[in-house]
Structure formats: structure tokens, C-alpha cells
Amino acid sequence: MSYVIEGKTGSWEIVVGLEVHAQIVSNSKLFSGASTTFGAEPNSQVSLVDAAFPGMLPVINKECVAQAVRTGLGLNARINLESRFDRKNYFYADLPQGYQISQFAHPIVGEGTIEIELSSGEIRKIGITRLHMEQDAGKLIHDQDPTKSMVDLNRAGVALMEIVSEPDIREPEEAGAYLRKLRQILRYLGTCDGNMEEGSMRADVNVSVRKAGEPFRTRCEIKNVNSIRFVMQAIEAEAARQVEIWESGGEVDQETRLFDAARGETRTMRSKEDAHDYRYFPDPDLLPLVIEQEWVDALKAALPELPDAKRARFQSDYGIPFYDAGVLVAEQAVADFYETVAKGRDGKLAVSWVTGDLFAALNRTSKTIETSPVSAEALGKMLDLIADGTINGKIAKEVFEDMVETGEGPDAIVEKKGLRQVTDTGVIDAAIESVMASNADKVAEYRSGKDKLFGFFVGLVMKETKGKANPALVNEALKSKLDA
């Protein structure tokens, strides 16, 4: 066991499974034509179906089905050609129908796997149990009136994917890595924007603890955790709470809990329901959902390159290390930026500039890769100037900073500031002779065996040429003259 909680009675292992609710990217809701745009005026995107007016019938949104299938394919999961919608019955003010349309017994996507990478470099596989589609509920607002709660039904009926993992996660870091990888895949696929702050991706966290080799003990579910950091903190807090209960001779009750981030603890929300509490039954207004294998194959053929495949290709095509490739593919926009810079150029030099100087500049200017002051094309042109000897690496740093500040292209900056590299051997020879004449004592020391002084002379020659001399030519000419 790599991660354990040390209790009074010995070591405890944590067992975690995650249920991730991901809002499907679509223009309209799962069973109505109402818009899904975030941030609209309250109750301005509610159809008669969403408001559950009598006689209103749901009609399935084909694009939502396609998005669920794309996600299943991206998770290396089984696509079920026949699935079914069920009614999950419960009363709540933000659910006008009095039931949620979900997929209980027959989901559209079956078992799959996600590969995650831990900080140690270890790769682990986390199983996916299923992915099903369901409606989201509306939103209750409690801070608009001292005595009343308000309801906004804009979100009611929005299409969700619930992605359920196997209880394969054994430490908070794994949970964080799993959520980051899942969000990365969804964003690459374009099936969910992964924006946890806006609520378009949130997690229910199932936690239990056990001694090594034991069967699973009672679990608790922590509802609606809306950040990866909070998921990791909630697991630690809940696991510690359960260990304390078991070790004091108590029993952990199966229940639903909330995570209080300010206090770093979980608290009871309600006793845990089982499936029979919801009286699931097939929705009589919806036929079974039957899709064709040819349609699934066409969706698969049109999928974009996913992170793991892109990472492997970057390694083989551009000769960059596994770690650097992982940094680049973490966000699709960064991967696209890098590829524009690296295509037809030195891939290792490109990754050094993108993850080094560019990332530092973005951080310093509070910009994103999408709003970068230096375009990928401009950075690529600057690398061309290094490759053809117009500028050296030291001058390139100066040029890049000017590009960040002014938005000008590298060619214009080099010409305007006279930064073109000196390759004239006559100019370099003159600079070397001047340096040697001014430092005759050091020349004598060098010639008597102090080879380490060579770097001293290189520095002086570069200073003499204001950093513009070609370093390779300087080294070659200097060695020739000092050894003469």
C-alpha cells in the first residue's frame, strides 16, 4: 500500500470511487429546444417541457447522444447500441416534473478505462463502470430574500453525462490525477468544457476505509464537490473521520455528506438512499434508444487526436522527452501552439522556448496561451533566425522580451535594434586581438597551462562585440590565436 492512514490499531487503506457529472456541450437541452447558454437571465431559457406543463412530451436531442458516444469512445469504453431512459422519482423545488429522466439499468456506455500518471511518474489504470445520460435539475437561490428561496430553471433539463469510476482509487493524489485526465479528455473531445467553477463538471466522492486485504466497508458519498483540490481534501478529511469511528468501536453509517472547505471537514447532509427509494421505472414517454454501429463507427473515425496519442506522437516526431510531451498536451491549445512552433524546426529547442520563456512571460503578464502576446508563428520565425545564424541564443532572449512587450515580429526587432549576429571573421579577429592585448598576463597564464581561462576570454570577446558575435566562430578563432 503506497498511501495509508496510520491509526491506533494499525494501517488503514482508503477506497474511493468517483461519480462525475459533466454537462454535455450542446446548443439545446436533452429533451427540449431551450438554450443551454451559461449566465442568461434567470428563467429565460425554460421551455414548456422543462417546466413540466401537462401534456408536454420529451424529444431526445441527437447531438447529446452523439456527445455521450464520443465520450465513451474517448474512454476506451463499450458503446451499448440499445439503452433506455428511466424515471428517478423524488420531490424537490428545482425539479418541476417530480422526477429526473436518467438511465438506471441500461446506460448508453459500459466499462472503460483511464490511464493516469502520478507525480512519481507511475502510470495506473482506473476502471470506468459506466456512463449514462440524465437531466440536470434547476438551481435554488437562498440569498435573494430574507424569507423566501428563489428558483432558476435555466439549468433544468440540461444534458449531463454521469461518469462512474470503479472503486480503484487508493489515494487523494490518484483522485486528482483521475479528474484532471478525465477533464483533459472531455475538453479534447469537445463534449464538456470541464469548467468546475461554472458547475459544468462536478464530482460526487464515495469514500470508505479498510484494513489491508479486507472486503469493502461501508462508504459515504460526499456530494457536489466543485474543484479538484477540494475533492482531494474531502477524501483526506472523510477517511480520517471514518478511521476514528471504526477505531473507537463505532459503525460508519451509509449517508450523503457535504464537504466544508473552510473547516476542512465533512458533515451529514442526509441518510443515503438506495435505488429502490427512487422507484425507478422505464419512462413511458420515451422509446428505448437504439443506435446503429455504422453511426458509432463514423463518430469514432471523426474523433480528434486524444492526449495520450498526441503525447506519444510528440515524442516520436519531435524527439522530446516523455515529461515535456506531457506538459504540452495537458491543454489542447498549448499542444497546438507548440506544434505550430516546432513543425519543420528543432523540436527540443521549441519545447525549451514554449515551456520556459513563453510560459514565464504568460505568467508574468497574466495571459493565457490563447491571448499570448507572441503568436506561435512569430516564435517559430524567431527560432528560424537562430537556426540560420542571424541571431544567437543570448540575443534571442532580448528579441523575445521585445516581442512580448511590443507585439512586433522578430525580423523587425532585429533590424530596428541592429541585433544581427556578427559572423564577419575579420571583426571577430579584431575583437580577439584587442582582448588579448589588454590581458597579456592572462594570455601568459593560459599558455602556461591554465586552460580554464578560456571561458574568461570568450566572455570578454562577447562583451567587446556587444553579445552579437557568433559563439561558435568566437570559440574557433580564439582557440587558434591563444594556442598559436
Side-chain angles (χ1 to χ4, degrees), residues 210-464:
R210 65 178 180 179
K211 295 291 184 72
E214 279 187 346
F216 294 147
R217 296 196 184 202
T218 308
R219 64 184 168 84
C220 290
E221 182 181 34
I222 306 158
K223 291 292 284 185
N224 288 331
V225 187
N226 66 353
S227 87
I228 293 173
R229 183 165 54 92
F230 288 166
V231 166
M232 295 168 68
Q233 290 174 2
I235 291 169
E236 287 188 16
E238 178 59 18
R241 185 190 74 87
Q242 291 184 21
V243 167
E244 193 175 327
I245 291 172
W246 288 118
E247 291 199 326
S248 64
E251 293 272 333
V252 170
D253 294 324
Q254 184 173 331
E255 61 181 353
T256 301
R257 300 179 69 84
L258 289 173
F259 177 60
D260 185 332
R263 296 185 177 183
E265 62 186 25
T266 66
R267 62 173 188 268
T268 298
M269 181 181 175
R270 60 177 181 262
S271 61
K272 177 62 182 172
E273 303 88 352
D274 289 310
H276 63 258
D277 293 316
Y278 291 115
R279 295 177 293 117
Y280 281 99
F281 62 85
D283 192 305
D285 291 335
L286 289 160
L287 291 168
L289 178 60
V290 179
I291 56 179
E292 300 292 331
Q293 185 61 52
E294 290 78 10
W295 185 62
V296 174
D297 292 342
L299 290 174
K300 185 174 185 178
L303 287 182
E305 184 180 40
L306 291 175
D308 289 347
K310 193 180 286 286
R311 185 178 198 171
R313 183 173 63 79
F314 277 10
Q315 286 181 264
S316 61
D317 286 6
Y318 300 113
I320 61 176
F322 181 76
Y323 175 81
D324 287 344
V327 171
L328 293 170
V329 305
E331 293 289 343
Q332 192 167 13
V334 173
D336 292 345
F337 189 103
Y338 167 76
E339 189 142 34
T340 301
V341 174
K343 217 169 205 49
R345 301 185 178 98
D346 181 338
K348 289 180 179 175
L349 185 62
V351 79
S352 170
W353 277 94
V354 170
T355 62
D357 297 74
L358 179 70
F359 278 11
L362 294 179
N363 189 44
R364 190 172 68 247
T365 57
S366 300
K367 302 274 189 184
T368 65
I369 198 78
E370 291 88 351
T371 59
S372 171
V374 177
S375 69
E377 291 76 12
L379 183 54
K381 283 179 184 173
M382 194 193 78
L383 298 193
D384 291 340
L385 296 179
I386 297 173
D388 66 17
T390 301
I391 58 175
N392 58 36
K394 185 169 182 289
I395 296 172
K397 299 276 185 187
E398 184 182 336
V399 171
F400 181 77
E401 288 308 316
D402 274 16
M403 289 165 69
V404 172
E405 285 175 29
T406 66
E408 286 188 71
D411 295 303
I413 292 168
V414 168
E415 290 306 320
K416 184 170 73 176
K417 299 187 80 171
L419 296 173
R420 193 172 289 276
Q421 185 171 233
V422 175
T423 53
D424 183 334
T425 53
V427 173
I428 292 171
D429 285 345
I432 291 171
E433 284 163 13
S434 170
V435 165
M436 288 176 66
S438 304
N439 295 273
D441 53 334
K442 297 291 184 186
V443 171
E445 284 182 44
Y446 175 86
R447 286 173 172 164
S448 68
K450 284 197 175 180
D451 292 353
K452 289 181 180 176
L453 282 170
F454 187 77
F456 165 78
F457 287 111
V458 170
L460 289 179
V461 173
M462 293 304 289
K463 188 177 179 182
E464 182 84 7

Side-chain angles (χ1 to χ4, degrees), residues 111-140:
E111 297 89 351
T113 54
I114 285 184
E115 274 194 1
I116 63 169
E117 182 183 356
L118 303 180
S119 57
S120 63
E122 183 184 354
I123 304 293
R124 291 190 194 167
K125 287 188 176 181
I126 305 296
I128 302 291
T129 309
R130 54 186 276 150
L131 176 157
H132 64 262
M133 292 182 288
E134 63 186 22
Q135 297 172 301
D136 204 350
K139 181 181 180 184
L140 287 176

